[in-house]
Structure formats: structure tokens, C-alpha cells
Amino acid sequence: MRLSRLLLMFCAAFGLASPVLADDGYDLWLRYRPLSGTALAQAEAHASAVVTGEQPSATLAAAVGELRRGLGGLLGHPIGSNEANGAILIGTPRSLPTLAQLRLPLGNLGSEGYLIRSVTLAGRPVTVIAANDDRGLLYGSFALLRLFQTGASLDRLDIVSAPKLMLRVLDHWDNLDGHIERGYAGNSLWDWWKLPNYKDPRYTDYARANASIGINGAVLNNVNAVAASLTPDYIAKTKALADVFRPWGIKVYLSARFTAPMEIGGLKTADPLDPAVAAWWKAKADEIYSAIPDFGGFLVKANSEGQPGPQDYGRTHADGANVLADAVRPHGGIVMYRAFVYAAQDSHTVDRTKQAYESFKPLDGKFAQNVIVQVKNGPLDFQPREPVSPLIGAMPKTPLMLEVQITKEYLGQATHAAYLGPLFEEILRWDTFAKGRGTTVAKVLEGERISGIAGVANIGNDRDWSGSTFNQADWYAFGRLAWDPEASSQRIAEDWAAMTFTPDPAFVKPVVAMMMASREAAVNYMTPLGLTHIMATGHHYGPGPWVKDLARAEWNPVHYHQADAIGIGVDRTVSGTDAIHQYAPQIAKQLANPKTTPDNLILWFHHIPWDYRMKSGRTLWDELALHYQAGVDQVVAMQRQWQALKPFVDQERYEKTEAFLAIQLHEAEWWRDACLAYFQTFAKRPLPAGVPAPAHPLSYYEALQYPYAPGH
Ligand code: GCW
């Protein structure tokens, strides 16, 4: 006890990471633990010093500080600052005149791209990080650190990289009282109550982590917004956060409540075409920008799930977006206007998945220049698997921004290992055919005038930020894919695993294999073959396919699987809701026929008889049951894989993951048993060999209640 106390004091005095707290996950992928062996020798030869120009900006100082911190940790000693063999030179051609003589090709790098190159300067081998702007240097520093951390070769470096998307944003669904909607990692990081006077040092670590993966924006408050966020008190709090984040290249944004002009402005209406309303928003924007000159702009959820919006005044979403856009435009701000709309009342269409397209496509070309329409990846709602939203690629005159969910509302929340990289990659590589074959979602996004991607954050004030070690990988993968939407989620997982644990290939290879299969495992034990939205009501924790008594059809899981004596699935072809014709003709044609529809989406698009012969030759019923079983088997396999990795992992993170995998297995079995017990009441067929009978009768599963599940 005394000894560990002494050790802690020693560490604190010398600025070292405490060994006691060292492996609680706080350091994310920025652990910078000492290298050894050849990796250390190589690093020593390439990091003798960090050299930069005089009077660096706050951003360059942050970059240099991170290099010193990272290399100091990896090498186990402080880093010098004089030019020497093996030094790292970092600057723009203006801030570091020695770089000007190298005539580096910075032309295509924009303000955020960077170049890393091994060169000889005055006879000395050095590594150069160069960019047009200090933000590029920041990203270049993290990229170089990544090479050190992952044990990559540091010789003959010649890397150029620039982000393919402009807006790489985290959406925090954080409420002002600290609760996070769909948050599974504790409460909000933002201590609104103590802001602006107390700035938790953790805000800086949050910004560092984001900068390390290229995230350059954060929407601080829930899209289910309250007007209070726009009052002077809260603007001052937001300013305090903006000041912390600015050196790290991160702009802040706020979700705007549409009726704020009434609620805090005393107006009688929030009609976007009312001149007093427009003037109110303009004055509000001026007020915000005088506190935060680089404020990013507003995010808006309007006329969806009970939120107010322009339709309350007989106006369109374009009218609603434009009044806000006009207010921020003089300051260079933007409006991210969400297309996740579904009417507060039962709509004219029976298929909720058609509503975003129906509401927004006719408005193409009607939005102000600084509006970007933010579209969820799927037409429904962040399900374990959905087809891509047909809106993506369908509005050629309007910039579209993709929204994905990093927090795992529908994918096992805090405890299930389900690496989202492959999900994001599947979306980004989906071919929309918008401009002919090969117009992937990534290409659509990259081609926009204002381009961007938003991820609903999975970050809270849990010590490990994301609720589990493996959930950290989802934050990481989001950032890396935002930078390069065409990157490989497997390569990203390799970097993450090497940095988060150890670069030893004997660890990285198997852990990445485990991660890469994990999302499909979750799909299998929750919603295989294109099933969706069969989670329990409200909190979405666990299965609830039987729910059928909620006020509106589109809230009920039975509406989404439509199981009956004949079969299961939703007919979205011409004989059903005809949602398929919201897609490009090439896709619609493929989806019109179950034979040409991919198995993994078949029940999304078709109502299929229980005895239908699947591509495997098995009946649909057998296939469904075997998928549920496969999901369970995959979790058992993950447990075994994790056990084999024990020698590589510290005790704290090992045991937490081990315990979580046990929870995941238990819940995978619950999903399988509950869903099969229920669907069997329609299919009336025996379970195929290899699938055990459910542990309990259906009534047992139907009776389970979880009123206090988190995140709701
Ligand atoms: O998926 C639903 C969530 C809501 C969320 C909404 C949205 C912020 O269950 O919690 O509200 O989507 O994206 O607006």
C-alpha cells in the first residue's frame, strides 16, 4: 500500500503515467508505452529531436507537444530540440524556412493535409512533417506517431495525405443535465454546470483523441434540443469548450431548437418566413459568433419524433433550414439539417422507411448554399444491418452528409463486442448508381460541394470513455473513415489494436480477426437475413419482436417483420410498399426479385414463405434458425479467441472484456431463444439440427422488463 502510494507520487512528480491507473483504458490508442527491442532501436534513430520554428501557433504547439509526449513515452526519455541526425522537423514552409529549400509538393494538400518524408538536410538524415497550415501539421504529427506506435518502418518515408471530406463531426446527444440519449458510457463529458469557470482537463484529452483521427467538429448538445443551449449563459459555456478545442483543430456546433425564438426570444411564432423570426436568428448568430468567431454552425432535427419544425407553420424543411443558414452565412457557418424525419402522426405512407426520401427529394435545389442535408445511413434507424438510404445520391443539387451511429443503440450497447468498422465500410462502399456504376456512397460524399460525415458519439465520462475497450475502436474507425471513406476497416482495426494493446503480430492478427467477425455475429443473433427493429420498446435493450400494441403501427416490431402463417418479411416491391423504386433503376431491378436480392437483406425487401428455398438450399425457417445459432457460436468463438490473447493484455482490460463477452454470450442466447420461440409460433416447424430448444417458454421472454436500462 505504502509502496504503491510512493510510486504514484513519483509518477505524478515526473509526469509519468501511473502504473496503477495505466490500463484502465483512459489513454485510448494514445498510450505511448515504452517500445523495446528493434522497434525501440529504430525509434531512437528517428526521433533524436523535434525541431520547429519560433513562436509556434497554439495548433503547432499542440502538435509539437504531442510529438514530445508520444515519443518521450515510446522512447522512455525526453526528446531534444536541436537539429541532429534523426531529428523530426515540423513546419510550414513559412514557419520553418529550412523546409522552403526542399520544394515539397504541398499543392494538393489543402489546409488539413500533410506530407511526411525522409530527407537529407545539411547532410543529416531527418524526417520532415510539412503542411500548408498548422492543422495539417497536427494531423501529420499524429500520423507519424502512429508509425512509431505500430512499429512501421521509419526509413524512406514518403507519405501525403489529405482528408477526403471537409466536415468530420461527432454528434453528441448530450443533455444539459448530463444524461446522454443513447449513451452507454456514463454521463456527459461536458460538465455544463461548472463551465465556463472550470474546464476539466479531460476536455483536452478528448480533443487530442479526436485530432489524432482527424475529427474536426463536435456538436455539443442533443438533437432533441432545448432552447437553453442558446442563452447567453450557455453560449459562454460553449465558448469555454471551443477555446479548449480550437488548438486541436476542432470547431464546435450546437443543435438548435426550432422554437427557440419563442421559448427564449419571446416571439409569438417560430415561422421561418416571419421577418422577426429571421431577425432573431440573425441576432442570435451574431451573438454566438462574437463569443466564438469560428463557431461551426447549427445542427437541426425538425418535425421528427415530436420536435418542432417549419411544417408546424405550413413551411418546408428548406424554409426551416434556410432561415438558420442565412443567419450564420455572414460568419462562414453552416447548417446541418437532418433528413431523419418521420411524422408525429401516422403518415400517409405505410412505410416509414420511405419518408425521408419523400420529404426531401422534392426539395432538391431549394436549400441555401451553406446547408448540408444530413442523412442517416439507412432508411430506418441505425439497425444492425439496413440497406443504404435511397436519399444518398438522389439529390444532385444539395450537399448530403452521412450520419452513422457510433454509440451502439441497436448493437449491444455497452457490453457487446461488435466492431462497427465493417458496418461503416459496407455503407460507404454501397453502389448508389447515382452517376452510373461505381458511384459508391463514399464517392457521393466526396463529390459534394460541402462534404461531410457525422457520427453519433459513443463517448461519456466513463474512465475508458466509450464503455468498453472495444467500443473505443468504433470511435477510432469512424475518425479514420471520415478522413478517408475508402479506407479499409480491417487495416484501421490493425492500427487500433497495435496502438491500443501491442503491435506484436501474434496479438494483432487474431484480435483483428475477432473484431472483423463481431458485427456479423451481432446481426446473426439479433436481426439476421434483413430483419430489423425487433428490439424491445424504448430502451431497445434485448429482443421484443412480439410487441404490437403501441399507439402507432410504425413503432411496433410486428410491423417490421410481419411474420404470419405463410412467412416473414416486409414486401417493399411493387406488390407491397414499393420502397425499392426509391433506388436507382439498376438497384430496384435487383431488389424486385428475392432470387437476386442479397440474402442478408432479403426480409427487408420481401415477405418470404417459411419453406422458401434460400441460396444455400435450406428452407427460410431453417436458415433463420441457423443464423441465430451461428451468432451464438460466433460469440463462443470470440470468447476462445480472447482467452488465447490473455498473455498480451493487462489484467484490467483483459478481465473487463472477458466479463463483457460472458454477458454478450448470455444475451446472444437470449436473443436466439426469444426470437425463435416467437417466430416458431408462426412457422410451426421444428428447429433444425444444431439449434437447441429455447431455454424458456415464450411467455418468459415476453414478460422481461428493463425500465432502468441506460441511455433511454
Ligand atoms: O433512433 C432514434 C433514437 C432516438 C434519437 C433519434 C434521432 C435523438 O432512438 O433516441 O433521438 O433516433 O436520431 O433523432
Side-chain angles (χ1 to χ4, degrees):
M1 178 66 197
R2 274 186 65 145
L3 192 68
S4 64
R5 177 74 65 73
L6 267 174
L7 199 59
L8 272 175
M9 285 167 58
F10 174 87
C11 291
F14 291 92
L16 301 175
S18 135
V20 178
L21 298 177
D23 295 314
D24 58 8
Y26 183 86
D27 292 335
L28 296 160
W29 48 87
L30 303 174
R31 294 172 76 238
Y32 306 136
R33 297 295 187 273
L35 298 167
S36 58
T38 49
L40 177 60
Q42 186 196 216
E44 287 283 8
H46 290 86
S48 60
V50 177
V51 181
T52 193
E54 316 236 304
Q55 297 177 324
S57 70
T59 295
L60 181 51
V64 170
E66 190 72 24
L67 281 171
R68 292 190 177 286
R69 171 193 193 131
L71 296 169
L74 292 162
L75 270 55
H77 60 72
I79 306 299
S81 54
N82 294 322
E83 286 194 33
N85 284 352
I88 295 168
L89 270 61
I90 172 167
T92 64
R94 288 177 309 289
S95 68
L96 196 57
T98 15
L99 292 185
Q101 43 178 294
L102 291 173
R103 297 179 195 289
L104 298 166
L106 306 179
N108 294 327
L109 294 182
S111 56
E112 295 187 310
Y114 58 83
L115 172 149
I116 301 175
R117 193 181 270 194
S118 311
V119 299
T120 305
L121 258 185
R124 294 196 179 104
V126 298
T127 305
V128 161
I129 306 174
N132 295 314
D133 183 284
D134 291 347
R135 278 171 296 163
L137 299 176
L138 180 67
Y139 298 134
S141 300
F142 280 110
L144 182 59
L145 281 167
R146 184 161 77 227
L147 299 180
F148 279 90
Q149 288 170 280
T150 55
S153 167
L154 301 168
D155 291 318
R156 290 188 289 280
L157 294 176
D158 188 7
I159 298 169
V160 281
S161 184
K164 292 183 181 158
L165 301 180
M166 291 155 60
L167 308 170
R168 306 178 299 278
V169 178
L170 286 181
D171 288 358
H172 290 268
W173 286 355
D174 293 20
N175 298 319
L176 300 189
D177 65 0
H179 178 262
I180 304 179
E181 180 151 350
R182 312 308 177 182
Y184 310 102
N187 278 336
S188 176
L189 270 188
W190 325 134
D191 192 339
W192 291 111
W193 191 249
K194 298 196 191 79
L195 282 165
N197 297 319
Y198 175 64
K199 296 181 204 154
D200 191 328
R202 200 165 175 176
Y203 302 151
T204 304
D205 286 333
Y206 163 85
R208 287 176 51 234
N210 278 333
S212 78
I213 49 178
I215 288 170
N216 66 1
V219 182
L220 300 178
N221 59 325
N222 193 350
V223 286
N224 291 333
V226 293
S229 289
L230 301 175
T231 56
D233 277 2
Y234 278 86
I235 292 171
K237 294 168 191 280
T238 295
K239 171 190 158 44
L241 289 173
D243 290 343
V244 176
F245 299 164
R246 187 169 298 110
W248 301 93
I250 298 166
K251 285 186 181 182
V252 300
Y253 300 75
L254 289 173
S255 296
R257 180 157 167 94
F258 206 78
T259 41
M262 298 162 75
E263 290 163 23
I264 57 171
L267 301 189
K268 293 221 161 47
T269 177
D271 179 349
L273 298 192
D274 184 304
V277 171
W280 188 87
W281 281 115
K282 205 177 158 338
K284 186 49 74 181
D286 292 348
E287 180 189 347
I288 295 173
Y289 278 93
S290 73
I292 311 167
D294 57 353
F295 179 67
F298 294 122
L299 171 66
V300 185
K301 170 176 178 178
N303 292 122
S304 175
E305 298 187 327
Q307 294 300 309
Q311 294 177 338
D312 302 342
Y313 308 93
R315 311 298 185 194
T316 69
H317 284 298
D319 297 329
N322 293 348
V323 68
L324 288 153
D326 290 347
V328 295
R329 188 184 309 111
H331 307 281
I334 59 144
V335 169
M336 299 173 285
Y337 198 91
R338 297 177 88 222
F340 175 71
V341 295
Y342 72 99
Q345 297 79 34
D346 264 333
S347 61
H348 59 287
T349 153
V350 287
D351 191 350
R352 171 177 149 192
T353 71
K354 291 173 70 178
Q355 288 193 38
Y357 182 98
E358 284 176 352
S359 311
F360 278 78
K361 169 112 176 117
L363 298 175
D364 192 20
K366 302 229 159 64
F367 290 93
Q369 289 289 303
N370 57 330
V371 174
I372 185 164
V373 172
Q374 184 166 309
V375 187
K376 283 191 185 184
N377 61 266
L380 183 57
D381 189 14
F382 299 137
Q383 297 299 298
R385 172 168 281 117
E386 286 184 51
V388 157
S389 166
L391 202 48
I392 299 172
M395 292 178 69
K397 296 187 207 130
T398 310
L400 292 189
M401 175 167 184
L402 181 67
E403 178 178 318
V404 296
Q405 199 179 41
I406 310 171
T407 191
K408 301 208 315 268
E409 175 178 355
Y410 296 99
L411 272 135
Q413 305 188 350
T415 45
H416 295 208
Y419 171 49
L420 299 181
L423 188 161
F424 300 156
E425 184 175 322
E426 179 176 307
I427 297 156
L428 290 163
R429 297 198 178 185
W430 168 286
D431 198 345
T432 67
F433 288 86
K435 292 187 183 155
R437 184 179 294 281
T439 322
T440 59
V441 170
K443 290 278 182 239
V444 172
L445 301 180
E446 290 166 21
E448 300 289 9
R449 186 166 38 78
I450 316 175
S451 61
I453 183 167
V456 181
N458 66 350
I459 300 159
N461 67 358
D462 271 10
R463 184 72 192 157
D464 68 7
W465 304 86
S466 300
S468 82
T469 308
F470 280 92
N471 280 0
Q472 296 176 353
D474 301 328
W475 177 9
Y476 183 82
F478 169 76
R480 293 285 304 273
L481 285 164
W483 184 273
D484 179 5
E486 289 160 276
S488 140
S489 63
Q490 171 158 345
R491 282 282 310 116
I492 291 170
E494 285 163 13
D495 283 347
W496 175 82
M499 295 159 81
T500 302
F501 294 100
T502 162
D504 189 334
F507 172 80
V508 171
K509 218 169 164 259
V511 89
V512 168
M514 169 179 150
M515 290 167 73
M516 291 306 290
S518 59
R519 178 266 188 148
E520 204 58 42
V523 171
N524 283 337
Y525 62 71
M526 289 181 182
T527 55
L529 302 178
L531 286 176
T532 45
H533 208 294
I534 54 173
M535 291 75 191
T537 302
H539 46 68
H540 298 155
Y541 169 71
W546 43 80
V547 175
K548 58 168 186 267
D549 51 4
L550 304 176
R552 290 169 54 183
E554 61 199 19
W555 290 344
N556 286 303
V558 294
H559 175 78
Y560 292 95
H561 61 70
Q562 300 190 10
D564 55 24
I566 296 166
I568 181 171
V570 182
D571 183 0
R572 293 194 162 98
T573 69
V574 273
S575 51
T577 74
D578 200 25
I580 62 167
H581 281 105
Q582 292 185 335
Y583 291 98
Q586 296 93 323
I587 303 176
K589 189 169 166 225
Q590 189 196 355
L591 297 175
N593 182 346
K595 294 281 175 228
T596 50
T597 302
D599 272 2
N600 64 14
L601 287 172
I602 195 163
L603 301 181
W604 177 285
F605 289 110
H606 302 280
H607 190 77
I608 300 282
W610 295 111
D611 284 329
Y612 176 86
R613 286 282 154 201
M614 301 289 287
K615 296 186 180 74
S616 63
R618 288 186 279 268
T619 65
L620 169 63
W621 167 249
D622 284 0
E623 189 79 22
L624 186 70
L626 289 167
H627 269 77
Y628 273 106
Q629 182 59 36
V632 172
D633 293 343
Q634 282 168 296
V635 181
V636 173
M638 287 203 278
Q639 284 185 312
R640 243 185 271 117
Q641 285 165 306
W642 186 243
Q643 278 157 15
L645 296 173
K646 188 168 184 180
F648 298 95
V649 184
D650 54 278
Q651 190 179 346
E652 190 169 353
R653 288 185 301 168
Y654 178 81
E655 286 177 356
K656 187 169 181 183
T657 300
E658 185 184 45
F660 280 11
L661 283 166
I663 296 172
Q664 186 172 3
L665 177 59
H666 175 74
E667 295 182 355
E669 289 170 343
W670 170 30
W671 267 98
R672 175 199 61 194
D673 290 353
C675 291
L676 291 179
Y678 170 71
F679 291 134
Q680 203 173 24
T681 64
F682 302 96
K684 301 200 187 316
R685 284 156 176 81
L687 289 166
V691 184
H696 303 278
L698 177 59
S699 55
Y700 167 89
Y701 301 108
E702 287 177 337
L704 296 172
Q705 296 291 331
Y706 298 94
Y708 306 114
H712 184 30

